[in-house]
Amino acid sequence: MHEAYTPLGWLIGSAVSLHPGLRDGFRSRHFKGKVFITRFVRDPAPAGEYDCNGATFAIDFGDLIQRDIYYGIYERHELAFLRGLARPGWTCVDIGANVGFFTVHLAKAVGPEGRVFAIEASPANFQRLERNIALNRLGNVHARQAAITAEEGPVRFSLRPAVNSGWRRIGEYASAAGVLEVPGIPFDAFAAAQGIDRVDLLKIDIEGHELSFLEGARESLRRGVIKRILVEYCGYSLEPKGMTLAAYLSAFEAHGLRPAHLCLTEIAAAKAGTYEPRRSILNLYFEHPSVAGGA
């Protein structure tokens, strides 16, 4: 939003901060300009456990992602889409689960007869993920600390500044706050170990390493085990390396997956050769052809 609105944003944000009831009302509503106004709302405490969109999360306000979860502005369109999509009894996999935002909501959506497998490489994020699973008493979630890779073995993992837990990723970066080794496992091996023979929904957000996932999931993809995928195209990471949106789409389509529902304008532009690289983050959704037949 234009910075000319800064005084108004500050005024509304300051007013919202005056009383817990006003803050809770602000958190529960969605309206144009909410993301902008949230910049000016004062947080209630350094940390705590709060109800956020019908689930309980342990919130550290020093992390931008957790702060956005608290105020109800984190991936809210994607959350609404997945809530409308998921069905009781489904098996879901959350790769790059972070602190468990989608894991928790998917677990509630699929119910006790469903299953959610949550995979997170960062030790700090994984610890918070396990805490959020416990807070919501989710017996249908199975969590694993690992990186999903093309080949099995330890991988180097960079820790980025604590201000954004989503910046931690595979590989070494000049701006990393530290580097450690984490276990790496291909999805095919993970699925075999867990006895997963069908994935109704797979959500993946691993900061530009999704093609490594495809490499390590060849057998699952060949057999049509994975029915639906929600994946983040991380343009700011991929485009400087020469990975265009068109090439990214082709990598998934090569496995018979079809884009649907989300970012259709950008997808059409990419296929027509008119998409202008702008280092954007796009959430893309793919379906296996069998989904159309009700599988």
Side-chain angles (χ1 to χ4, degrees):
M1 186 172 288
H2 197 279
E3 292 302 315
Y5 291 97
T6 294
L8 180 60
W10 178 86
L11 182 63
I12 297 174
S14 298
V16 166
S17 305
L18 291 176
H19 191 276
L22 294 175
R23 187 186 289 108
D24 287 342
F26 175 82
R27 294 200 301 130
S28 66
R29 289 169 173 78
H30 299 298
F31 53 89
K32 187 176 181 179
K34 181 180 179 181
V35 173
F36 178 75
I37 293 170
T38 300
R39 292 165 47 187
F40 305 98
V41 179
R42 293 190 297 275
D43 303 327
E49 297 171 3
Y50 301 93
D51 178 81
C52 307
N53 274 314
T56 303
F57 289 93
I59 300 295
D60 174 1
F61 290 101
D63 173 31
L64 292 177
I65 287 180
Q66 293 179 62
R67 188 177 190 270
D68 284 356
I69 290 172
Y70 172 80
Y71 285 108
I73 59 175
Y74 181 69
E75 303 280 26
R76 65 184 185 89
H77 297 295
E78 290 73 19
L79 176 61
F81 175 71
L82 292 186
R83 276 177 162 173
L85 184 70
R87 296 289 181 268
W90 273 18
T91 294
C92 301
V93 178
D94 186 357
I95 300 176
N98 196 273
V99 300
F101 177 73
F102 284 111
T103 292
V104 168
H105 285 294
L106 284 173
K108 289 177 175 290
V110 304
E113 64 272 39
R115 299 184 297 171
V116 177
F117 295 87
I119 307 166
E120 171 56 40
S122 163
N125 289 354
F126 185 78
Q127 185 178 39
R128 184 59 59 103
L129 165 68
E130 288 196 307
R131 182 176 174 185
N132 289 329
I133 292 169
L135 282 174
N136 289 277
R137 301 178 181 178
L138 298 172
N140 59 347
V141 177
H142 311 270
R144 168 85 179 266
Q145 188 198 336
I148 292 296
T149 52
E151 298 179 354
E152 192 155 4
V155 295
R156 302 284 280 173
F157 188 81
S158 290
L159 305 177
R160 303 297 288 272
V163 68
N164 190 326
S165 57
W167 286 347
R168 300 159 188 171
R169 64 186 71 177
I170 296 171
E172 297 188 33
Y173 299 85
S175 58
V179 180
L180 50 79
E181 278 194 350
V182 300
I185 182 171
F187 181 78
D188 284 338
F190 175 81
Q194 297 293 332
I196 301 173
D197 57 8
R198 178 188 174 96
V199 178
D200 295 288
L201 174 65
L202 184 146
K203 170 254 155 185
I204 180 166
D205 178 358
I206 52 177
E207 299 297 306
H209 289 275
E210 293 77 22
L211 300 192
S212 292
F213 155 76
L214 292 177
E215 184 68 24
R218 284 186 174 276
E219 182 62 16
S220 298
L221 293 165
R222 184 189 67 79
R223 292 170 45 221
V225 169
I226 303 171
K227 302 302 180 183
R228 303 165 184 85
I229 298 180
L230 177 70
V231 59
E232 180 187 271
Y233 171 73
C234 186
Y236 68 81
S237 174
L238 292 169
E239 288 170 0
K241 300 176 183 177
M243 173 58 67
T244 65
L245 177 57
Y248 191 84
L249 292 166
S250 295
F252 283 84
E253 291 176 315
H255 294 281
L257 298 164
R258 302 171 178 173
H261 299 298
L262 303 180
C263 296
L264 297 183
T265 299
E266 291 85 354
I267 289 170
K271 290 179 177 293
T274 58
Y275 180 80
E276 292 293 332
R278 47 185 177 268
R279 302 194 178 189
S280 296
I281 292 177
L282 303 175
N283 283 300
L284 310 173
Y285 173 75
F286 294 88
E287 290 182 340
H288 187 269
S290 63
V291 169

